[in-house]
């Protein structure tokens, strides 16, 4: 296996100092299993990066799973173990066979709004998975679902509703539990049940997947409106278009078009409020978003894809440099070599026990998650502006 060893980063001391004094906004976009695993790899790399603290951590659809878990527990190594050990396929219950579902979709196509009240899969267990592990809404975490093609954003400080002009207005302090919010942002119409929600004003909504709106997979308008952006990095994890047959069919039936040009922009004119955008995306195609029956090797492949892509992106912006960069690269190289190795009997496809140990003891300092000014409500004027 050929592995390219890059020279040490040439980031200047001034740039390093600047990076360590900046905060992070993290957004992991949609992508089902791809977002879960690729996003986990990004978090392993970010746990080694040099930055001050998180101001916000957002996840949409599948991206809400690793982001919610890390927001509640800053142990990135524990997140890795949990993702590897969890059979996500068992968190959904099939009501009909996949063939029956596809036949129904083709025979009776429906618009996104209003969504069918019952999907092909029952995702109740996903809500239970989160509510059993996370009792209180993490301070910096947010996620979003859609109702009538407008965003409903859930945060620790309350719920925000998108208006006709694109502004986010706080609808009240009432909350839903984290498990229900994750189910809502993952609710692909016809595939998963929409989640009913009633606002404080009495409006009834059926919430669907947060990545099916006009803004696409990574709605960067949410952190930009709800949280202070000055002197920060906005890290956007975008796993890109899903070329699988099932996902392409769903997009065709609903006529969805994800315009991710804004979230993918890495250069151009200086961004307002002295913040920079870092886009992390796969260098090679990943498995389909709805591939949840996976071997441990397949999970590792997607995790390491996210890890190596993030290390490269963070180096460019000075978040990883010097000895820290060398250590992060060494971890990636060792993991790739171990993953490439085969142990007898080959039919069992055993992975070396040392593989997971490479990423042991990677934790975020708890202080990176506890900054009072990061709670929505301190930036009301920004939230009300487009």
């Amino acid at each position: 296996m050929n592995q390219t060893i890059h020279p040490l980063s040439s980031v200047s001391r001034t740039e390093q100092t600047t990076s360590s004094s900046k905060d992070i906004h993290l957004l992991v976009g949609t992508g089902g299993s791809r977002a879960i695993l690729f996003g986990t790899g990004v978090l392993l790399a970010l746990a080694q990066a040099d930055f001050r603290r998180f101001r916000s951590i957002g996840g949409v659809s599948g991206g809400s799973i690793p982001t919610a878990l890390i927001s509640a527990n800053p142990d990135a190594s524990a997140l890795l173990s949990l993702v590897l050990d969890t059979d996500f396929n068992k968190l959904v219950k099939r009501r009909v066979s996949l063939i029956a579902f596809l036949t129904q979709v083709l025979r009776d196509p429906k618009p996104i709004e209003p969504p069918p009240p019952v999907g092909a899969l029952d995702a109740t267990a996903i809500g239970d998975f989160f509510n059993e592990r996370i009792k209180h809404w993490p301070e910096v975490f947010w996620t979003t679902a859609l109702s009538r093609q407008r965003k409903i954003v859930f945060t620790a400080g309350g719920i925000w509703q998108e208006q006709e002009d694109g502004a986010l207005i706080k609808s009240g302090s009432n909350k839903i539990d984290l498990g229900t919010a994750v189910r809502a942002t993952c609710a692909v119409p016809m595939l998963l049940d929409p989640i009913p929600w009633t606002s404080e004003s009495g409006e009834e909504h059926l919430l669907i997947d947060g990545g099916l709106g006009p803004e696409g997979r990574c709605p960067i308008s949410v952190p930009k409106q709800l949280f202070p952006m000055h002197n920060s990095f906005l890290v956007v994890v975008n796993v890109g278009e899903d070329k699988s047959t099932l996902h392409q069919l769903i997009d065709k039936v609903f006529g969805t078009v994800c315009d991710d040009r804004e979230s993918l922009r890495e250069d151009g004119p200086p961004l307002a409020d002295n913040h920079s955008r870092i886009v992390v995306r796969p260098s090679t195609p990943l498995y389909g978003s709805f591939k949840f029956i996976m071997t441990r090797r397949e999970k590792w492949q997607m995790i390491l894809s996210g890890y190596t892509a993030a290390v490269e992106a963070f180096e460019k912006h000075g978040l990883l440099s010097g000895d820290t960069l060398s250590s992060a690269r060494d971890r990636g190289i060792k993991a790739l070599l171990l993953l490439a190795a085969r142990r007898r009997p080959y039919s069992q496809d055993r992975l070396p026990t040392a593989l997971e140990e490479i990423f042991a003891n990677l934790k975020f300092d708890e202080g990176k998650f506890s900054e009072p000014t990061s709670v929505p409500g301190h930036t009301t004027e920004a939230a009300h502006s487009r």
Side-chain angles (χ1 to χ4, degrees):
M1 178 179 179
N2 294 326
Q3 178 68 43
T4 302
I5 308 297
H6 298 278
L8 288 177
S9 172
S10 60
V11 176
S12 69
R13 183 176 300 275
T14 301
E15 287 172 311
Q16 291 181 35
T17 303
T18 301
S19 297
S20 64
S21 66
K22 282 191 173 183
D23 294 340
I24 291 286
H25 298 273
L26 174 64
L27 167 55
V28 181
T30 66
S33 60
R34 300 185 304 152
I36 297 170
L37 298 166
F38 191 88
T40 296
V42 173
L43 283 163
L44 290 173
L46 194 55
Q48 302 169 74
D50 186 20
F51 65 98
R52 188 166 59 166
R53 61 176 178 252
F54 286 107
R55 287 187 192 166
S56 69
I57 299 179
V60 184
S61 195
S64 68
I65 292 177
T67 50
L69 291 170
I70 202 67
S71 297
N73 179 7
D75 190 333
S77 300
L79 171 65
L80 172 64
S81 297
L82 180 60
V83 166
L84 287 169
D85 293 339
T86 299
D87 184 351
F88 289 100
N89 186 58
K90 292 183 177 179
L91 296 183
V92 292
K93 181 179 180 181
R94 294 177 184 270
R95 293 193 176 102
V96 297
S97 69
L98 182 59
I99 294 177
F101 166 70
L102 292 175
T103 302
Q104 178 186 351
V105 167
L106 290 171
R107 182 181 299 164
D108 186 23
K110 299 179 182 297
I112 287 181
E113 300 286 359
V118 178
L121 304 174
D122 179 357
T124 303
I126 292 180
D128 296 339
F129 176 86
F130 279 93
N131 289 335
E132 289 170 3
R133 288 167 173 77
I134 305 175
K135 304 300 183 183
H136 303 286
W137 192 283
E139 181 181 345
V140 296
F141 178 69
W142 65 266
T143 189
T144 183
L146 291 176
S147 174
R148 307 178 188 100
Q149 284 294 286
R150 293 185 187 175
K151 292 187 286 289
I152 308 293
V153 184
F154 302 98
T155 72
I159 301 175
W160 303 72
Q161 289 185 254
E162 184 180 23
Q163 307 302 300
E164 187 175 356
D165 64 354
L168 291 175
I169 302 297
K170 192 171 183 180
S171 66
S173 58
N174 65 323
K175 299 179 183 179
I176 63 174
D177 59 74
L178 189 67
T180 301
V182 170
R183 285 185 61 196
T185 192
C186 292
V188 178
M190 293 189 72
L191 192 64
L192 297 171
D193 301 348
I195 301 301
W197 172 70
T198 303
S199 68
E200 286 191 347
S201 64
E203 287 183 311
E204 295 184 351
H205 298 264
L206 282 178
L207 305 179
I208 62 171
D209 191 308
L212 292 177
E215 201 171 348
R217 285 176 284 269
C218 302
I220 61 173
S221 65
V222 176
K224 291 176 71 173
Q225 290 187 66
L226 292 186
F227 299 90
M229 299 301 295
H230 64 281
N231 197 34
S232 67
F233 289 108
L234 172 57
V235 178
V236 181
V237 181
N238 189 325
V239 298
E241 185 180 1
D242 187 344
K243 299 292 187 179
S244 67
T245 301
L246 177 57
H247 205 282
Q248 292 289 308
L249 177 61
I250 290 175
D251 283 349
K252 183 177 181 180
V253 168
F254 292 133
T256 56
V257 177
C258 289
D259 186 355
D260 286 330
R261 286 176 296 178
E262 176 66 13
S263 65
L264 288 172
R265 192 183 70 187
E266 297 178 73
D267 50 20
L271 299 173
D273 300 319
N274 188 28
H275 82 275
S276 303
R277 186 174 307 152
I278 303 175
V279 180
V280 184
R281 47 183 166 176
S283 58
T284 57
L286 302 175
Y287 297 111
S289 300
F290 299 122
K291 180 178 172 62
F292 289 107
I293 301 177
M294 306 180 72
T295 66
R296 204 171 185 87
R297 180 178 294 277
E298 288 172 330
K299 287 185 174 183
W300 267 112
Q301 288 171 343
M302 288 213 280
I303 290 169
L304 289 178
S305 176
Y307 180 82
T308 55
V311 169
E312 180 180 350
F314 296 160
E315 176 192 359
K316 291 179 181 178
H317 290 80
L319 288 169
L320 284 172
S321 60
D323 292 341
T324 305
L325 174 61
S326 297
S327 177
R329 283 178 177 154
D330 286 345
R331 281 190 168 101
I333 292 170
K334 290 177 181 177
L336 288 169
L337 291 173
L338 286 174
L339 188 64
R342 291 274 181 165
R343 285 189 162 192
R344 294 176 178 172
Y346 298 127
S347 60
Q348 296 184 16
D349 195 21
R350 293 181 181 176
L351 295 175
T353 56
L355 182 56
E356 195 167 335
E357 295 173 3
I358 292 174
F359 297 99
N361 301 315
L362 284 181
K363 300 180 180 180
F364 293 98
D365 186 301
E366 290 191 4
K368 292 186 182 296
F369 292 82
S370 56
E371 176 54 39
T373 59
S374 65
V375 178
H378 294 270
T379 57
T380 304
E381 291 183 4
H384 286 209
S385 65
R386 191 162 185 161

